[in-house]
Amino acid sequence: MKTAIKGDQLIHLEMIDRSSYQRLYEEAKKGQLLCPVCSENVRLILGIEKDPYFQHHSHKTKICQFEQTQNEVAVSVVSDQELNGFRLPKSRAISEPMEIRKPFKSAKTIKGISDFQSDHKELPTARSPYIEALQQHKIYLDHNQIEAVVHPNGALLVLAGAGSGKTRVLTARTAYLMTQLGVEANQIMLVTFTAKAAKEMKQRLLNYPSIHNRDIQQLVSGTFHSLFYRILSHHQPQKWNSQKLLNKEWQRRQILKEAGKQLDLDEKEFAYDAAIAQIGLWKNSLLSPDEVKPISTWEEKTVFLYKKYEEFKHRQELFDFDDMLTGCYELFREDDRLLQLYQNRFQYFLIDEFQDINKVQYELIKILSAKNKNVFAVGDDDQAIYAFRGSNPQYLREFEKDFPYADVVLLNENYRSTHEIVSLANGIILENKQRRPKKMHAQYTIEKKPILFFPYDEEEEATMIVTDIGEKISEGANPNDFAILFRTNTSSRAIFERLTNSSLPFIIDQDIESFYERFIVRSMLGFLKLSVNEDDPSAMSDIFPALFLKQSVLTDMKASSILNDTTLLQCLNDVKTNFAFQEKKLKKVLPVVRSLSSLSPLEAINKVEKELGFGEFIKKRGSEGNQWDKGSDDLRDLKVAAKNFTSIQEFLQHTNHMAAMNKEIKMQSKQRKDGITLSTIHRSKGLEYKTVYIIGTVDGSLPHDFALDSLREGDREPLEEERRLLYVAITRAKEALYLSVPNHWRGKKAKPSRFLSSVRY
């Protein structure tokens, strides 16, 4: 039904403002909405494939109907003054015309997808005893896969589209080299991007005929880092002793912080994590500190830290993970005899995820394979999504440039997803200009087309997804069947909160920090916390960056608070900075913070932003080297979260609870095997799920603002990578796909992602 009662007010879903639906949903959960006829509690069902409606909490079969038509609501009056407490005109039925506005935009199935044409291919006739033996072991390869597996000596680029069985091809090729060409296992280097992938390939190899465990043990396989570190530690064991490895991020961060003191960098303000990532990017691009050309003040500071960091490591004879690659590259360049030794040792190189290779990795493979040229590179430039860590799909696109006699094999049969999902993915990625042409073909259909749905904002988006998953699980689906994918970690706030408040099990990545622990968010929440407790030292510390105060000031303030019997907040009035304008601003903090207690959380945030210059603080701080996460975005996200609460105390209790739950869910995720997956698109690569939800498919989210800014400056590549991200997200789905297109994103009117412009619905 479409109608409910709140207090003495009749609510009709098609008569109220669209922005009210989430609020009604929350009120219904608290038992504040009633059925107009039987006065039982009703809840608001905000799902995806059905328009919103009210439903009784109890699932009794008793008759309770509230007749409706599109233009009128009719209620038969059983008493002359009221119906179960709802005031009605005396002695007549209500039959009042209503102007139905239909504020809710229903979900749409994607149109324009051609009918599935069964392109069933018979299994290839075994062209060799090897292929026949594989088939007898129930290892089946299609024509193109066979062509790749039995390729003769020389370089080969295998363009392996999404779901095309690249892991099977890599393992079959490895087995073919050992069993058919007589290549010794220790003459093969099999490179993967994760230790998990290397382990999986070894396990699969044991299923191949004539492959024994001793062969697997001799095979040189692993990640780039593990393989080249083995070479370093073998030839220079003292220099590359594992005891000298800086394997903890806090160790690297501490070295940078010590160097940062020379620049007077405040450790709570400067983005040291981003600096660590940037230094790693430069190193993997084979750029020394003297070769880097900084393009911003932040990069100038980071280059200085980079230089000091390298000097410190050299003095202390330490190394980090990046040095495992750059160190081996330098070793080969300095010792030609050693290089030739390994060029003769390794006859074949098989490389997985070749689109994700970076400069130092590429140069290592190039010099090692220079003699034999037997490089078997498997990848898909349509799935190149790691530019932020130095990966460059140009190495795949221009493979023939360094390997001029290379052959190319295309794997374009998708064995994972339905025809409808594959067709949508094909149509979207086709718009990219910088790519090797390919079109994937699906093997089956279940005649379920991808669905677009249109929530009001992030809050309602989360509600609709959790409702939809809950319904499917109640009908027998397994929680493992579902994945909710997003562009950046910050986009997961609302869905994390909704899942936390549900009974559904879910799993999150270990690197998803609590939204309320983010730097800008903590700073703003600090002001709100001080309005509740003026002696909160942690909150005071959190607001210092916004006031441009150093943390050392807090010690003096604590002493002053004790001596003068005043609160920490009052002590701000007496802080001396030798800058009149700053001291004047500090004196404004006390009255402004004390005035917040009478405001709603959203009003309080707006007041701090306006009257205490918080917005200016964000602008001056900038993105601190992280082009993907802007402080202004964090503040807008915080406002979206705050609007659901009426009191600051209630909101702060919520933020504390969610921060604690983030830690708890992370711990559970390490052990939990069953659960809905909550993941960034980047982390989901290589995985698959029956049902996938992609949130925030609007401009500014996917594609990200950074890519749009780059496009305006004439750089198209970031936008193309964003389109590849959407392609990767879509192709994680096997059977069902839902794309969310919110009407509002981060408090602003949103536009559907430009990547959907060619999609008909």
Side-chain angles (χ1 to χ4, degrees):
M1 62 186 184
K2 297 286 185 180
T3 312
I5 294 175
K6 180 188 175 185
D8 60 355
Q9 180 184 7
L10 180 66
I11 297 170
H12 194 285
L13 285 175
E14 295 177 343
M15 292 289 293
I16 62 174
D17 188 82
R18 180 70 181 83
S19 63
S20 302
Y21 281 35
Q22 180 62 31
R23 176 178 53 78
L24 279 177
Y25 171 83
E26 298 293 344
E27 290 172 343
K29 283 178 62 178
K30 297 174 183 177
Q32 297 176 9
L33 300 185
L34 306 177
C35 172
V37 172
C38 68
S39 295
E40 281 200 8
N41 291 121
V42 293
R43 56 182 177 174
L44 177 58
I45 306 299
L46 272 176
I48 292 178
E49 298 188 55
K50 294 180 181 178
D51 286 2
Y53 62 96
F54 293 111
Q55 182 184 74
H56 288 75
H57 272 286
S58 61
H59 298 286
K60 297 176 182 177
T61 57
K62 69 178 184 180
I63 297 175
C64 178
Q65 297 179 340
F66 195 56
E67 301 294 339
Q68 303 166 79
T69 66
Q70 184 171 352
N71 294 312
E72 77 172 15
V73 174
V75 180
S76 296
V77 180
V78 296
S79 69
D80 59 352
Q81 289 295 333
E82 62 181 46
L83 173 63
N84 295 326
F86 178 55
R87 299 289 298 176
L88 301 172
K90 183 177 180 180
S91 299
R92 69 180 180 87
I94 296 179
S95 184
E96 299 180 1
M98 283 190 171
E99 179 188 353
I100 305 299
R101 295 187 295 177
K102 296 248 180 211
F104 185 84
K105 185 176 181 180
S106 303
K108 306 289 184 183
T109 56
I110 291 177
K111 300 177 181 178
I113 294 175
S114 61
D115 292 337
F116 176 66
Q117 300 295 324
S118 178
D119 190 23
H120 177 70
K121 297 181 177 66
E122 295 296 330
L123 286 173
T125 302
R127 295 184 296 177
S128 70
Y130 176 66
I131 299 301
E132 184 177 357
L134 292 187
Q135 292 180 356
Q136 289 174 354
H137 282 71
K138 301 189 183 302
I139 300 171
Y140 303 106
L141 302 172
D142 63 35
H143 291 280
N144 291 3
Q145 290 172 337
I146 291 175
E147 184 181 353
V149 168
V150 302
H151 183 265
N153 288 350
L156 177 68
L157 174 63
V158 181
L159 286 175
S164 62
K166 68 177 179 63
T167 302
R168 172 165 292 194
V169 168
L170 273 165
T171 51
R173 173 64 173 179
T174 305
Y176 178 79
L177 291 175
M178 290 192 289
T179 63
Q180 304 303 304
L181 298 189
V183 181
E184 295 293 333
N186 62 4
Q187 293 180 319
I188 300 171
M189 180 181 283
L190 174 59
V191 187
T192 63
F193 268 77
T194 65
K196 180 181 178 182
K199 182 179 180 181
E200 180 185 351
M201 287 191 194
K202 284 185 175 182
Q203 290 174 337
R204 288 198 187 191
L205 276 168
L206 288 172
N207 297 322
Y208 282 75
S210 302
I211 295 291
H212 305 289
N213 194 55
R214 64 177 179 274
D215 302 313
I216 304 299
Q217 296 302 318
Q218 292 180 11
L219 182 67
V220 182
S221 66
T223 65
F224 275 101
H225 288 84
S226 67
L227 291 173
F228 290 106
Y229 176 63
R230 273 187 250 171
I231 294 174
L232 286 171
S233 60
H234 177 72
H235 293 284
Q236 298 177 337
Q238 186 173 357
K239 180 178 179 180
W240 298 97
N241 187 300
S242 61
Q243 298 299 315
K244 298 179 179 181
L245 172 63
L246 294 167
N247 62 344
K248 303 293 185 183
E249 187 163 313
W250 67 264
Q251 295 172 313
R252 302 192 290 278
R253 191 186 300 114
Q254 191 58 42
I255 296 170
L256 294 188
K257 286 181 178 179
E258 286 299 317
K261 291 178 180 178
Q262 298 180 46
L263 296 179
D264 203 26
L265 298 179
D266 191 311
E267 65 179 58
K268 289 201 72 172
E269 291 190 48
F270 187 78
Y272 281 102
D273 289 346
I276 291 172
Q278 183 62 59
I279 290 170
L281 178 61
W282 285 329
K283 291 179 72 171
N284 285 306
S285 301
L286 293 175
L287 292 172
S288 68
D290 294 333
E291 293 172 317
V292 174
K293 296 179 180 178
I295 59 175
S296 67
T297 303
W298 184 84
E299 283 199 0
E300 288 176 1
K301 296 174 183 176
T302 304
V303 169
F304 175 84
L305 298 179
Y306 180 14
K307 186 174 183 178
K308 296 299 180 182
Y309 175 70
E310 294 299 309
E311 290 174 353
F312 178 87
K313 285 194 299 148
H314 181 72
R315 287 195 308 271
Q316 301 295 323
E317 297 183 337
L318 301 172
F319 65 94
D320 60 23
F321 284 104
D322 295 323
D323 293 324
M324 294 176 180
L325 300 182
T326 58
C328 200
Y329 178 69
E330 291 168 4
L331 179 64
F332 286 148
R333 285 175 60 99
E334 294 168 359
D335 191 338
D336 188 61
R337 181 196 60 81
L338 189 65
L339 174 59
Q340 290 185 42
L341 174 68
Y342 281 98
Q343 286 175 336
N344 293 325
R345 157 77 185 278
F346 292 112
Q347 303 293 308
Y348 294 88
F349 298 87
L350 290 80
I351 307 160
D352 192 15
E353 305 287 7
F354 195 75
Q355 76 281 347
D356 295 330
I357 205 166
N358 61 35
K359 184 174 178 60
V360 65
Q361 293 165 345
Y362 185 69
E363 292 297 330
L364 280 164
I365 292 297
K366 194 167 70 170
I367 61 176
L368 282 174
S369 65
K371 182 176 180 179
N372 296 305
K373 303 287 187 182
N374 291 324
V375 176
F376 188 89
V378 181
D380 179 12
D381 54 331
D382 288 337
Q383 299 185 71
I385 58 174
Y386 293 111
F388 67 90
R389 67 184 189 195
S391 299
N392 189 345
Q394 284 301 107
Y395 297 126
L396 182 148
R397 294 182 193 139
E398 300 176 1
F399 188 75
E400 296 92 334
K401 181 178 177 181
D402 288 312
F403 301 92
Y405 299 105
D407 293 323
V408 179
V409 172
L410 173 62
L411 305 184
N412 61 351
E413 300 295 333
N414 183 298
Y415 296 97
R416 174 191 299 148
S417 308
T418 66
H419 163 71
E420 292 75 15
I421 292 170
V422 171
S423 295
L424 174 63
N426 282 337
I428 286 175
I429 202 62
L430 185 65
E431 299 296 319
N432 268 4
K433 308 301 180 188
Q434 299 296 318
R435 64 185 292 263
R436 284 182 177 262
K438 66 185 79 69
K439 184 178 181 181
M440 301 302 295
H441 303 288
Q443 303 302 302
Y444 71 104
T445 179
I446 58 173
E447 298 183 350
K448 180 176 177 59
K449 294 180 180 179
I451 290 176
L452 299 183
F453 64 104
F454 310 91
Y456 180 79
D457 61 7
E458 303 96 310
E459 298 293 333
E460 192 178 283
E461 175 183 67
T463 296
M464 294 172 77
I465 291 173
V466 171
T467 298
D468 192 67
I469 293 176
E471 290 174 350
K472 288 178 168 60
I473 289 177
S474 69
E475 294 168 0
N478 190 304
N480 287 350
D481 294 342
F482 304 95
I484 304 167
L485 307 181
F486 37 86
R487 174 62 185 83
T488 60
N489 282 331
T490 53
S491 303
S492 65
R493 177 199 58 79
I495 193 71
F496 174 84
E497 293 180 4
R498 206 69 75 250
L499 282 169
T500 298
N501 291 325
S502 75
S503 59
L504 302 177
F506 67 103
I507 300 168
I508 64 173
D509 291 336
Q510 295 303 304
D511 61 348
I512 296 182
E513 67 174 327
S514 169
F515 171 75
Y516 300 108
E517 294 293 332
R518 294 178 63 80
F519 178 75
I520 294 296
V521 176
R522 280 205 331 268
S523 296
M524 177 56 78
L525 290 177
F527 289 100
L528 273 59
K529 289 175 181 177
L530 287 169
S531 73
V532 175
N533 177 9
E534 295 185 8
D535 275 317
D536 186 336
S538 177
M540 183 60 69
S541 175
D542 287 339
I543 73 170
F544 273 13
L547 302 176
F548 300 98
L549 291 175
K550 294 192 176 299
Q551 293 298 320
S552 57
V553 174
L554 185 57
T555 302
D556 295 334
M557 288 178 60
K558 288 179 179 178
S560 176
S561 172
I562 295 171
L563 288 172
N564 299 314
D565 194 23
T566 57
T567 65
L568 281 176
L569 184 63
Q570 289 173 312
C571 289
L572 277 177
N573 285 335
D574 302 319
V575 171
K576 303 300 179 184
T577 65
N578 297 322
F579 295 101
F581 72 93
Q582 188 179 18
E583 292 177 7
K584 182 179 179 181
K585 179 179 177 180
L586 292 177
K587 286 180 168 54
K588 290 179 62 178
V589 176
L590 177 63
V592 169
V593 169
R594 284 183 169 174
S595 70
L596 301 181
S597 59
S598 61
L599 304 178
S600 70
L602 181 58
E603 291 170 336
I605 291 170
N606 286 330
K607 186 164 187 175
V608 171
E609 181 182 16
K610 181 180 178 180
E611 298 188 20
L612 295 182
F614 198 86
E616 289 301 313
F617 153 64
I618 291 177
K619 289 179 183 178
K620 288 181 181 179
R621 186 177 188 272
S623 60
E624 289 298 290
N626 191 335
Q627 57 206 11
W628 304 108
D629 293 322
K630 297 180 180 178
S632 55
D633 290 342
D634 283 352
L635 186 59
R636 285 196 287 268
D637 285 337
L638 185 63
K639 289 180 181 180
V640 173
K643 73 177 184 180
N644 298 312
F645 298 87
T646 56
S647 76
I648 289 176
Q649 195 140 8
E650 181 188 14
F651 181 48
L652 292 177
Q653 288 173 351
H654 171 77
T655 63
N656 291 336
H657 177 61
M658 286 300 125
M661 287 303 299
N662 181 271
K663 295 177 182 177
E664 183 177 330
I665 297 297
K666 278 185 181 180
M667 293 297 294
Q668 293 176 1
S669 296
K670 289 181 179 180
Q671 308 296 329
R672 177 173 279 163
K673 295 182 179 180
D674 294 326
I676 301 157
T677 295
L678 198 56
S679 172
T680 62
I681 299 172
H682 286 95
R683 287 281 190 173
S684 73
K685 189 170 175 294
L687 303 175
E688 57 185 42
Y689 307 90
K690 280 188 178 180
T691 302
V692 168
Y693 302 83
I694 304 174
I695 68 176
T697 47
V698 295
D699 277 359
S701 171
L702 190 60
H704 193 280
D705 274 329
F706 168 73
L708 300 178
D709 291 341
S710 298
L711 182 65
R712 285 188 279 269
E713 295 171 3
D715 184 3
R716 186 179 177 83
E717 176 53 30
L719 186 69
E720 296 220 341
E721 177 157 318
E722 291 293 294
R723 188 180 276 108
R724 295 195 292 267
L725 262 176
L726 180 56
Y727 176 81
V728 167
I730 289 171
T731 54
R732 298 312 94 200
K734 295 197 292 185
E735 297 179 1
L737 175 68
Y738 298 87
L739 294 94
S740 170
V741 187
N743 298 321
H744 293 77
W745 187 255
R746 288 181 165 146
K748 292 183 177 181
K749 183 72 176 174
K751 293 182 179 179
S753 171
R754 60 193 61 201
F755 300 152
L756 301 177
S757 60
S758 61
V759 175
R760 291 174 48 208
Y761 54 89

